[in-house]
Amino acid sequence: MEIAKSNIVRSDAGRDKGKLFYVLDTQGEYLLLADGKSRKVESPKRKKRRHVLFVAAEENRLSGKIKGEEKITNSELRKALAAFREEDYPSQEG
């Protein structure tokens, strides 16, 4: 699947391997990634497409803001990724 703006991807190479990111922009074979914590919106990580794995194409308020090139905050990114993780990996209590 083609990775597009506002998709959620997982790093597959480098020191950030295994971390989830939002795609803020695409530049040819490169993606600009941010997670709001280690990589902020102000200084996104530039990473090659082949070094990430597509995870999800969420349609929510944040993805609409990213596609519409509206201002997004780091806390919005952190909360959206935390909610996504909670959906995929619910806590194992009980």
Side-chain angles (χ1 to χ4, degrees):
M1 173 162 204
E2 183 66 24
I3 298 173
K5 208 171 186 180
S6 83
N7 288 161
I8 297 175
V9 296
R10 186 176 69 233
S11 175
D12 196 37
R15 67 176 61 178
D16 57 4
K17 184 175 182 174
K19 290 187 180 180
L20 293 177
F21 294 95
Y22 263 99
V23 178
L24 299 183
D25 200 7
T26 59
Q27 299 175 340
E29 70 175 67
Y30 290 96
L31 305 171
L32 294 179
L33 309 174
D35 66 356
K37 189 174 183 179
S38 60
R39 279 300 177 166
K40 309 269 184 186
V41 174
E42 300 83 29
S43 59
K45 171 73 177 161
R46 187 171 179 249
K47 200 164 187 86
K48 287 189 176 186
R49 288 177 188 266
R50 66 180 178 206
H51 294 156
V52 299
L53 297 173
F54 174 82
V55 174
E58 292 266 307
E59 286 302 323
N60 55 24
R61 192 175 69 71
L62 181 60
S63 65
K65 286 178 82 171
I66 293 172
K67 287 178 184 174
E69 299 185 11
E70 296 177 36
K71 183 169 173 31
I72 55 174
T73 63
N74 292 311
S75 64
E76 286 176 317
L77 284 176
R78 286 193 306 269
K79 288 175 186 173
L81 287 172
F84 179 78
R85 277 189 212 100
E86 196 60 37
E87 284 177 12
D88 274 8
Y89 313 105
S91 60
Q92 303 289 326
E93 293 182 22

